[in-house]
Amino acid sequence: AQSVAQPEDQVNVAEGNPLTVKCTYSVSGNPYLFWYVQYPNRGLQFLLKYITGDNLVKGSYGFEAEFNKSQTSFHLKKPSALVSDSALYFCAVRDIRGTGRRALTFGSGTRLQVQP
Amino acid sequence: EPEVTQTPSHQVTQMGQEVILRCVPISNHLYFYWYRQILGQKVEFLVSFYNNEISEKSEIFDDQFSVERPDGSNFTLKIRSTKLEDSAMYFCASSPRSAETQYFGPGTRLLVL
């Protein structure tokens, strides 16, 4: 079975400072990894994904994430936080084994609060 | 930019009633999904749908639930005989191919009284 852990319910950071939102995963095979963001009263918006290739992936709004296979982690990062980045962030994993398996497994979410 | 849309945004129903949640996936996408998020809990997978049939479903997706693509644009989730514990935000998603990113709609908040 696949699972995702987001160990922090909330991350607080000052505007202009770097931010990290942590994610670790567990799958039997090789993973597809995703980050989504949810603003109030909005759906889940795709930020970035890791499928294969370069371990550092860049996504929307200046976010990036680093895939670390040995630590089974996929932490989300941004060099300089904005107040507008304040939202709920979800990490998700999909096991690529099996042709019929498409379900994403989500973490519990991390609320990012960026203070002015 | 194309988006997944969902209607209604909010639905209140009485326990035991049937509800139909509607989704319009992105037009050239082939795979469709329903997820739900009970308040304060994780987003959970319900079902995926491809080529007019269910391709994968979770243990949550029991006989109470059904999905349908009645025409070329809509994708629906029907919940028969709703229960209090069905109260949740229901998200529809679509992807162009199996391995591709799933794009989510804004959700329908269902409240069962």
Side-chain angles (χ1 to χ4, degrees):
Chain A
Q2 55 199 41
S3 65
V4 177
Q6 293 182 244
E8 302 152 317
D9 291 336
Q10 180 155 325
V11 169
N12 297 308
V13 64
E15 188 174 31
N17 282 0
L19 69 88
T20 299
V21 182
K22 295 179 181 177
C23 170
T24 58
Y25 66 90
S26 174
V27 296
S28 301
N30 291 320
Y32 290 163
L33 292 156
F34 302 84
W35 276 101
Y36 287 86
V37 59
Q38 186 178 31
Y39 296 99
N41 302 314
R42 302 287 299 276
L44 299 167
Q45 294 181 38
F46 168 71
L47 272 183
L48 51 79
K49 66 183 176 186
Y50 171 82
I51 302 295
T52 188
D54 195 347
N55 289 344
L56 182 65
V57 293
K58 294 187 184 296
S60 307
Y61 313 120
F63 284 93
E64 59 189 28
E66 185 163 13
F67 171 62
N68 187 318
K69 189 171 184 177
S70 62
Q71 296 185 1
T72 62
S73 67
F74 190 57
H75 301 330
L76 181 70
K77 301 183 180 186
K78 187 173 182 181
S80 179
L82 299 172
V83 173
S84 57
D85 293 330
S86 299
L88 190 56
Y89 290 81
F90 291 95
C91 181
V93 67
R94 184 193 146 194
D95 190 337
I96 65 172
R97 293 181 315 153
T99 56
R101 297 171 61 89
R102 299 178 181 87
L104 292 178
T105 297
F106 283 85
S108 54
T110 298
R111 186 163 301 281
L112 174 66
Q113 200 71 32
V114 181
Q115 282 109 20
Chain B
E1 185 177 327
E3 292 182 334
V4 176
T5 59
Q6 292 185 242
T7 54
S9 57
H10 294 79
Q11 173 104 33
V12 180
T13 190
Q14 296 291 321
M15 190 170 55
Q17 296 296 304
E18 175 183 286
V19 295
I20 297 176
L21 310 183
R22 291 181 168 80
C23 168
V24 179
I26 295 173
S27 64
N28 62 343
H29 285 190
L30 302 177
Y31 293 85
F32 314 113
Y33 314 85
W34 284 101
Y35 290 80
R36 79 172 185 190
Q37 184 181 29
I38 295 172
L39 189 63
Q41 298 187 22
K42 294 183 180 184
V43 177
E44 302 172 292
F45 169 75
L46 293 178
V47 65
S48 63
F49 191 84
Y50 169 71
N51 200 25
N52 281 321
E53 60 183 27
I54 291 172
S55 53
E56 186 183 3
K57 61 182 181 179
S58 71
E59 60 273 12
I60 303 169
F61 194 87
D62 59 20
D63 292 344
Q64 183 194 7
F65 295 90
S66 62
V67 289
E68 193 178 30
R69 188 155 161 81
D71 52 42
S73 59
N74 289 285
F75 178 51
T76 62
L77 174 69
K78 181 188 291 186
I79 309 175
R80 286 181 283 273
S81 188
T82 49
K83 307 171 197 169
L84 296 177
E85 55 265 36
D86 294 327
S87 296
M89 179 75 91
Y90 288 81
F91 292 107
C92 175
S94 68
S95 64
R97 286 181 295 277
S98 173
E100 292 291 332
T101 302
Q102 295 178 24
Y103 293 91
F104 285 75
T108 293
R109 186 170 296 281
L110 176 66
L111 179 60
V112 182
L113 301 176

